[in-house]
Amino acid sequence: MSVFHGQADLGGTGNGPPVSRQEFDELFEAVRTWGRWAPADRGAWNRVTPDHVRRATARVRSGTVVPLALPWNTRSGPDNRKPALHHMTDLGDVEAPEPSTHKDFIAADYHGKGITHLDALCHVAYRGQLYDDRTASEVVDAAGARFGAVSALGPLVTTGVLLDLPTVLGIGWLEPGQAVHAKDIIAAEKALDVTIGEGDAVLLRSGHVRRRRELGAWDPDTASAGFHVDAVPLLAERGIALLGGDGDSDVRPSPVDGVHSPVHALAMTAMGVPLLDNLDLEALSAATAEAGRYEFLLVVAPLNIPGGTGSPVNPVAVL
């Protein structure tokens, strides 16, 4: 079902076409999966069965392991307004008994642009509702979430698919504000000889990390490459279990009137698909290009935080 009237070319720099709130709401209804699974707060992760895991592990050939997380970011900047904390609590200066120890403390307000993290289903509500028609105000309070928490997800082991758009286009990166559409996904699948399947994790490389390293930081809340909402019906049709990227999956500025993170709302709130934000996909881009294949085993193990809205993570791809 399409509710859109046109598409911009990926070769351009636009975040359009613009989408009205009515069109967005129609799309939300078209892709939602409320009532489909039990337990509901695992959402689309219910698609990943033991058979999916076995098929994913069978993709390992070289045994090359690629970590996908950014370094723990303690420096303030335009893309890290709430820096993570890291300080030493023990410098090994106790005289006795042996051995001496060294200890440290870490903390992070990780829902932002500076920390690689997983968004759980309780993280995003639309019109006051979480996934599976749960009223946010009734299940989330100061103690945490009683539905859709990251502790309900547990580890995910599945097939990962890298949509490496800069490699497809022969460029260093997509410019901030550049939208990726459904037709671009299909073109990338053909160019990379890969097909997104049920239960897969889809990772979008826009080249965000490379651009930042070469040109410096900017405010990705204002402008970042990512999916246009017209790409979501295709991802829903393929039955994905997880969506992530080197941004936060949304193109910014948002093309949807009055909705600042429309892909977040469609993926998590409508479809029950958790998100991976702020990945470093540069090493994976190089490894997949060298291997000549863009499918791999993906392992995501969030911290077991009862009531948590997500977790810092260091996902691992194994080729």
Side-chain angles (χ1 to χ4, degrees):
M1 174 182 177
S2 175
V3 295
F4 303 104
H5 308 301
Q7 291 183 342
D9 290 332
L10 184 61
T13 58
N15 68 329
V19 177
S20 71
R21 190 65 170 268
Q22 179 180 346
E23 289 174 317
F24 180 77
D25 286 346
E26 290 174 2
L27 177 56
F28 188 97
E29 293 302 313
V31 301
R32 71 183 177 92
T33 60
W34 295 359
R36 179 173 298 184
W37 294 297
D41 50 3
R42 284 179 56 82
W45 281 25
N46 284 290
R47 288 190 168 114
V48 182
T49 66
D51 283 340
H52 282 91
V53 176
R54 284 192 290 268
R55 288 196 293 271
T57 58
R59 297 186 185 281
V60 175
R61 299 177 189 173
S62 68
T64 301
V65 178
V66 184
L68 306 180
L70 295 170
W72 195 250
N73 193 342
T74 60
R75 293 188 177 185
S76 179
D79 55 354
N80 193 25
R81 296 173 182 171
K82 297 178 180 179
L85 303 178
H86 179 214
H87 63 260
M88 301 303 295
T89 59
D90 189 337
L91 294 176
D93 53 1
V94 178
E95 294 182 0
E98 292 286 3
S100 60
T101 61
H102 304 86
K103 301 176 184 177
D104 55 357
F105 168 89
I106 60 171
D109 188 349
Y110 56 87
H111 285 298
K113 310 302 182 183
I115 300 291
T116 302
H117 66 270
L118 176 72
D119 288 339
L121 298 186
C122 61
H123 175 50
V124 170
Y126 181 60
R127 296 176 299 197
Q129 299 301 111
L130 296 173
Y131 179 67
D132 209 49
D133 200 22
R134 306 302 175 103
T135 301
S137 61
E138 294 178 357
V139 298
V140 182
D141 56 28
R146 295 181 297 281
F147 174 85
V150 71
S151 52
L153 292 175
L156 179 72
V157 179
T158 192
T159 298
V161 176
L162 179 65
L163 296 179
D164 195 338
L165 269 295
T167 292
V168 170
L169 296 171
I171 57 179
W173 53 73
L174 306 184
E175 287 295 334
Q178 196 164 345
V180 175
H181 302 274
K183 64 183 179 64
D184 303 316
I185 296 174
I186 294 171
E189 287 181 311
K190 182 177 180 180
L192 301 173
D193 191 24
V194 68
T195 301
I196 299 166
E198 183 181 9
D200 287 354
V202 175
L203 308 182
L204 172 65
R205 177 178 174 257
S206 69
H208 182 115
V209 173
R210 178 177 172 182
R211 187 184 193 276
R212 186 184 188 280
R213 288 171 181 166
E214 295 189 18
L215 300 183
W218 72 95
D219 182 1
D221 279 329
T222 301
S224 62
F227 289 111
H228 190 279
V229 295
D230 63 15
V232 174
L234 175 63
L235 298 172
E237 179 183 314
R238 298 294 180 85
I240 66 171
L242 177 66
L243 184 63
D246 51 10
D248 70 358
S249 294
D250 270 286
V251 66
R252 300 184 188 282
S254 168
V256 182
D257 181 37
V259 183
H260 66 82
S261 299
V263 172
H264 277 60
L266 292 173
M268 283 187 281
T269 314
M271 296 163 55
V273 174
L275 295 186
L276 277 176
D277 292 348
N278 312 322
L279 297 169
D280 183 347
L281 298 176
E282 296 307 298
L284 183 60
S285 174
T288 50
E290 181 178 356
R293 54 192 177 92
Y294 288 81
E295 291 179 321
F296 42 87
L297 173 68
L298 180 70
V299 180
V300 183
L303 299 175
N304 186 359
I305 307 172
T309 62
S311 170
V313 287
N314 182 17
V316 175
V318 187
L319 280 75

